[in-house]
Every structure is written in structure tokens, then in C-alpha cells.
């Protein structure tokens, strides 16, 4: 009976995904079918779904979502692009550098790769195409650099991992993701430098001297959101949840009072869009919680752990296998449900081998971020191709150099734990 239920749970979920059933409904239907076979009380499954969505730490997610909506509606992305252009726009291949740098800046505010592609891509991709850049390169660079948004705080995916892992500080995860996100950006800058020399990218246009101060001030004000989070959380002034609320209020004041790009009449529309996104996220978390509970009841995590350890107990080889597994899964599933499902399976495998839970969380989120820009389910890739009007198959093929940069930095973060743990140790005394 247990074997049959396990086949129904995993096989049914895979089949429904192949039939393009939305991931939330695929998990829910597979879980219900498996529970009926096991004669599990359905009230238990309902309770699991409620527990998946009813957690105080999840309160930070709606604040992050509302903040991102205000950023988009308030034209904050234009300020970020202007700041990045001020810093690197005048060099050869300047717009490519701007693309990387503005994603680093904006990702640290929005915490969402898709929001990054939507807001910045709609400006930078047409600009790059107009200056003569290859359209696939423009889209691919925008999509891959947007993955910094799930690493550099604020990232609601880190909140999800912390809850799935249990006992992991959200604030520590925020700090831990900063340096890997910067390393990814630096890797992309180096790739742009090499490609600009080989393909003779056009030289950028710098900001006129008289406009530099205004561009600098307009760009720094949104960046203060990241400073508030990093300093406040790192110094223990407020929790991650409190920091999300403060950052949200700060962003509202910027958009409504300082820049005056959002009117009071725009707020209902912003809240409506935020609720739509929040409903998707919370539904995913609720169904993923029930799915993970059913897997635990069927002892599937224990079987996977035993299978992995039967291959090797070498930490480095095991991390390589886990990275490969997550890269494949990330091609077919969204990040939030994968974090909820795979964390309880994989974390108990690696922690006895000396892998720090915070470090592993950064590796997992970085890994699954690659899935956001790989077909067939990569949401950031879909949005980027829609904006750039390029075919997904061709764009993904021409993105191979950028994928290689992401994999190289991922391996660096995987095998050099200090890339994730150095800042938490310095700022928060983590592990001392």
C-alpha cells in the first residue's frame, strides 16, 4: 500500500506537470490521491496546508511584494538604471555593464528575478537592441543577471527556506546571500568585458556633467532600502519581518512623497496586483507543505537520503550530485515549491557531513535561481523573451556563455563556504 501511494504521489505529480497542470494543483491532486490510497484523514492534510500558510515569519513576504509593486509603479527602476549608467555607462559595452549593475542594485531592493526582468528589461533590452547589441544577448544578460535578485536581500525565497529548514535565522540568510550575489554580478561583468572586446560592442554614452548630482541622489535614495535592511538586521535593531515592513513604508514614501510618481488613486491597483501575487505564493506554500508531509509519511525523504549516501559519503562529491539534481529539478518546477519540498529531504543528508545550514540554503537558492532562466519552466526567461520578442529556444541556446558563468560562481559558492558565511560572521557573530 505504501509503495502504491508513493508511486501515485510522485508519478501523479510528474504526470500532471507534463500535462501542464499548474504546479499548485498538481501537488494538491497528487497529495489527495495518495492520501486516499493510504486512508489518511483528509482533515490532517487540510491542517498541514493551513500550517504551511499560517506562520508569522511569512508576514514579510506580502511586505516584500507590496514594496516591489511600488517600485515598479513609482518608476524606481528608471532611477536605478540612471545610477548604473552614471557608474559604468561611458565605457565600451557600457549598456551591458549597466544591465548587470542595475540588476544588482534593483535585485537588492525587489528580491525578485521576475520583477527585475519586468521592470528593468522593459527599458534596458530595447536600449541595447537600439545601440546594436545582439537581441539574444540583451535578453539573456537581463535574465541571468536578474538571478541576483533572489540572492541579494531582500529575498522572500530565503524566508521560505528558513521556515522549511527550521531553526535557521532569516536575518542571517539575508546577510549570507549578499556576497554570492555580488560575485555573480562580478562574473557577469567579466564576461561582458571579454565579449565587448571580441564583438566590439558599441561605446556607451555617459551622463552629462550637469546632471550627475541629480542622477546620483535619485539613485541613492532607493538604495537606502538595502542599507536599512542590512544594517538594521545585521546590528539586531529589528527582525527580518520588521525590516520588511520598514522597507515597504520607506518605498511608499519615496514613490508618493519624494518622487511623486505614485498617486493616492494608484494605491488600490497596486494592492490588487500585490494580492494576486501573494495568492499565488501562499497557495504554493500551502500545497507544498501538504505534499512534503505526505512524502514524510511515506518515508520518501529517508529513501532518497539513503540512496544518496549509498553513492558516496564524501561531502564534496555529494554536494556536486545535489547541485546536479537541483539543476535538473529547477528546469521543471518553480523555486518556492522546490525549496519547501527538497529542503527537508536534502538538509538532513548534508548537515551530518559538516555542511552549514545557512551555507546550504544559499547554495540551494542560487542553484534554483538558475532554473528561473532555463527552459521549459524558467519564468524569468519567459518574461525576458516576451519583452525582447525573441524565441525561447534560440535565446536559451545563445545564452550558454552566461550559463557557464552562473555554474562557475555556483561551484565557487558551493565549495568555498566563506563566500556565504564571511559576512554573517563579521556582522552578526554567526558561528562564534
Amino acid at each position: 500500500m505504501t509503495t502504491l501511494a508513493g508511486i501515485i504521489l510522485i508519478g501523479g505529480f510528474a504526470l500532471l506537470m507534463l500535462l501542464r497542470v499548474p504546479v499548485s494543483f498538481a501537488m494538491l491532486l497528487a497529495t489527495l490521491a495518495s492520501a486516499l490510497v493510504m486512508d489518511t484523514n483528509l482533515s490532517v492534510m487540510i491542517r498541514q496546508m493551513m500550517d504551511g500558510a499560517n506562520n508569522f515569519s511569512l508576514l514579510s513576504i506580502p511586505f516584500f511584494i507590496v514594496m516591489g509593486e511600488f517600485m515598479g509603479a513609482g518608476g524606481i527602476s528608471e532611477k536605478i538604471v540612471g545610477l548604473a549608467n552614471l557608474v559604468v555607462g561611458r565605457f565600451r559595452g557600457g549598456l551591458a555593464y549597466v544591465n548587470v549593475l542595475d540588476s544588482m542594485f534593483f535585485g537588492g531592493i525587489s528580491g525578485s528575478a521576475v520583477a527585475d526582468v519586468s521592470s528593468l528589461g522593459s527599458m534596458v533590452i530595447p536600449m541595447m537592441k537600439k545601440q546594436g547589441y545582439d537581441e539574444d544577448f540583451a535578453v539573456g544578460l537581463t535574465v541571468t543577471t536578474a538571478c541576483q535578485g533572489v540572492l541579494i536581500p531582500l529575498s522572500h525565497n530565503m524566508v521560505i527556506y528558513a521556515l522549511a529548514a527550521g531553526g535557521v535565522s532569516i536575518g542571517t540568510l539575508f546577510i549570507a546571500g549578499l556576497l554570492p550575489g555580488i560575485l555573480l554580478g562580478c562574473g557577469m561583468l567579466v564576461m561582458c568585458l571579454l565579449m565587448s572586446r571580441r564583438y566590439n560592442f558599441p561605446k556607451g554614452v555617459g551622463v552629462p556633467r550637469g546632471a550627475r548630482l541629480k542622477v546620483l541622489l535619485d539613485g541613492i535614495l532607493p538604495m537606502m532600502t538595502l542599507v536599512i535592511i542590512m544594517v538594521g538586521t545585521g546590528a539586531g535593531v529589528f527582525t527580518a519581518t520588521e525590516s520588511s515592513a520598514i522597507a515597504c513604508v520607506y518605498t511608499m514614501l519615496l514613490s508618493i512623497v519624494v518622487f511623486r510618481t505614485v498617486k493616492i488613486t494608484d494605491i488600490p491597483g497596486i494592492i490588487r496586483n500585490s494580492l494576486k501575487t501573494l495568492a499565488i505564493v501562499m497557495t504554493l506554500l500551502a500545497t507544498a507543505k501538504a505534499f512534503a508531509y505526505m512524502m514524510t509519511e511515506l518515508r520518501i525523504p529517508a529513501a532518497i537520503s539513503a540512496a544518496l549516501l549509498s553513492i558516496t559519503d564524501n561531502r564534496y562529491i555529494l554536494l556536486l550530485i545535489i547541485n546536479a539534481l537541483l539543476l535538473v529539478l529547477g528546469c521543471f518546477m518553480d523555486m518556492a515549491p522546490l525549496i519547501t519540498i527538497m529542503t527537508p529531504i536534502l538538509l538532513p543528508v548534508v548537515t551530518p557531513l559538516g555542511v552549514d545550514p545557512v551555507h546550504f540554503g544559499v547554495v540551494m537558492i542560487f542553484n534554483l535561481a538558475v532554473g528561473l532562466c532555463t527552459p521549459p519552466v524558467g519564468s524569468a526567461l519567459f518574461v525576458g523573451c516576451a519583452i525582447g520578442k525573441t524565441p525561447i529556444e534560440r535565446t536559451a541556446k545563445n545564452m550558454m556563455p552566461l550559463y557557464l558563468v552562473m555554474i562557475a560562481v555556483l561551484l565557487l559558492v558551493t565549495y568555498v563556504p566563506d563566500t556565504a558565511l564571511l559576512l554573517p560572521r563579521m556582522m552578526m557573530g554567526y558561528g562564534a
Side-chain angles (χ1 to χ4, degrees):
M1 188 71 72
T2 301
T3 303
L4 177 60
I7 293 173
I8 290 175
L9 181 68
I10 304 300
F13 174 68
L15 177 61
L16 290 169
M17 288 291 292
L18 290 174
L19 294 174
R20 298 188 177 274
V21 175
V23 62
S24 297
F25 295 106
M27 284 191 293
L28 179 61
L29 292 173
T31 302
L32 288 176
S34 179
L36 289 173
V37 170
M38 288 292 293
D39 199 25
T40 303
N41 192 332
L42 294 184
S43 64
V44 175
M45 308 310 300
I46 295 172
R47 180 64 186 176
Q48 289 297 319
M49 293 178 66
M50 292 176 62
D51 289 343
N54 185 23
N55 191 304
F56 177 77
S57 296
L58 289 175
L59 189 60
S60 59
I61 294 179
F63 286 123
F64 291 154
I65 293 173
V66 172
M67 184 178 66
E69 288 291 335
F70 268 98
M71 286 282 180
I76 302 298
S77 52
E78 297 177 14
K79 316 293 183 185
I80 298 297
V81 171
L83 179 62
N85 191 47
L86 175 64
V87 178
V88 294
R90 62 188 180 277
F91 302 112
R92 179 166 299 281
L95 263 183
Y97 301 139
V98 168
N99 198 332
V100 177
L101 208 59
D102 64 27
S103 289
M104 191 182 299
F105 291 158
F106 191 78
I109 300 172
S110 71
S112 168
V114 175
D116 189 332
V117 176
S118 302
S119 300
L120 299 176
S122 58
M123 289 187 297
V124 179
I125 291 175
M127 289 169 63
M128 292 182 71
K129 290 167 68 175
K130 186 176 181 180
Q131 279 202 11
Y133 288 85
D134 179 77
E135 59 182 2
D136 288 329
F137 173 73
V139 173
L141 185 64
T142 303
V143 170
T144 50
T145 55
C147 293
Q148 297 169 106
V150 300
L151 289 168
I152 299 176
L154 311 165
S155 172
H156 67 265
N157 291 291
M158 290 188 172
V159 178
I160 296 171
Y161 171 81
L163 296 177
V168 177
S169 166
I170 298 173
T172 304
L173 277 168
F174 280 171
I175 305 297
L178 180 61
L179 187 55
I182 293 174
L183 287 173
L184 176 59
C186 291
M188 290 297 176
L189 286 173
V190 171
M191 178 57 72
C192 289
L193 174 63
L194 296 175
M195 295 183 75
S196 67
R197 291 179 176 177
R198 180 174 179 179
Y199 298 107
N200 196 28
F201 285 167
K203 190 173 182 179
V205 180
V207 179
R209 186 179 298 274
R212 290 177 183 176
L213 181 60
K214 184 178 186 305
V215 170
L216 182 64
L217 293 177
D218 285 349
I220 285 178
L221 285 175
M223 294 303 300
M224 287 302 296
T225 307
L226 180 59
V227 175
I228 291 171
I229 301 299
M230 295 292 294
V231 175
T233 305
V237 178
F238 38 70
T239 66
T241 303
E242 293 166 346
S243 70
S244 65
I246 293 170
C248 183
V249 172
Y250 177 75
T251 304
M252 291 172 63
L253 291 175
L254 277 185
S255 302
I256 298 172
V257 179
V258 179
F259 296 136
R260 297 183 180 180
T261 47
V262 173
K263 300 177 181 179
I264 299 298
T265 53
D266 296 330
I267 294 179
I270 291 173
I271 300 299
R272 191 182 306 113
N273 291 335
S274 301
L275 288 174
K276 290 179 182 178
T277 305
L278 181 62
I280 295 171
V281 173
M282 299 306 289
T283 303
L284 279 171
L285 292 177
T287 52
K289 178 71 173 178
F291 187 85
Y293 169 81
M294 203 63 212
M295 284 205 307
T296 304
E297 287 293 297
L298 298 172
R299 294 182 172 83
I300 294 175
I304 295 175
S305 300
L308 288 172
L309 292 173
S310 68
I311 298 172
T312 180
D313 59 356
N314 183 290
R315 177 173 62 181
Y316 303 104
I317 297 177
L318 195 60
L319 284 172
L320 184 63
I321 294 172
I322 289 174
N323 268 327
L325 174 65
L326 291 175
L327 284 171
V328 172
L329 292 175
C331 293
F332 300 98
M333 281 186 68
D334 203 9
M335 179 179 285
L338 269 177
I339 293 173
T340 307
I341 294 168
M342 298 305 295
T343 299
I345 295 175
L346 299 177
L347 190 59
V349 178
V350 297
T351 47
L353 301 178
V355 178
D356 187 272
V358 171
H359 172 227
F360 184 72
V362 173
V363 171
M364 173 178 273
I365 290 170
F366 194 149
N367 192 306
L368 297 179
V370 179
L372 296 175
C373 50
T374 52
V377 183
S379 52
L381 178 61
F382 274 90
V383 174
C385 289
I387 292 172
K389 297 180 175 60
T390 60
I392 293 174
E393 297 81 3
R394 191 190 72 197
T395 301
K397 179 181 178 181
N398 293 330
M399 285 169 58
M400 287 307 300
L402 303 175
Y403 285 136
L404 292 177
V405 172
M406 297 183 75
I407 298 300
V409 179
L410 171 61
L411 292 175
L412 175 65
V413 174
T414 299
Y415 292 116
V416 184
D418 276 348
T419 52
L421 300 178
L422 180 62
L423 289 182
R425 285 171 182 159
M426 292 175 59
M427 297 178 63
M428 309 176 72
Y430 177 75

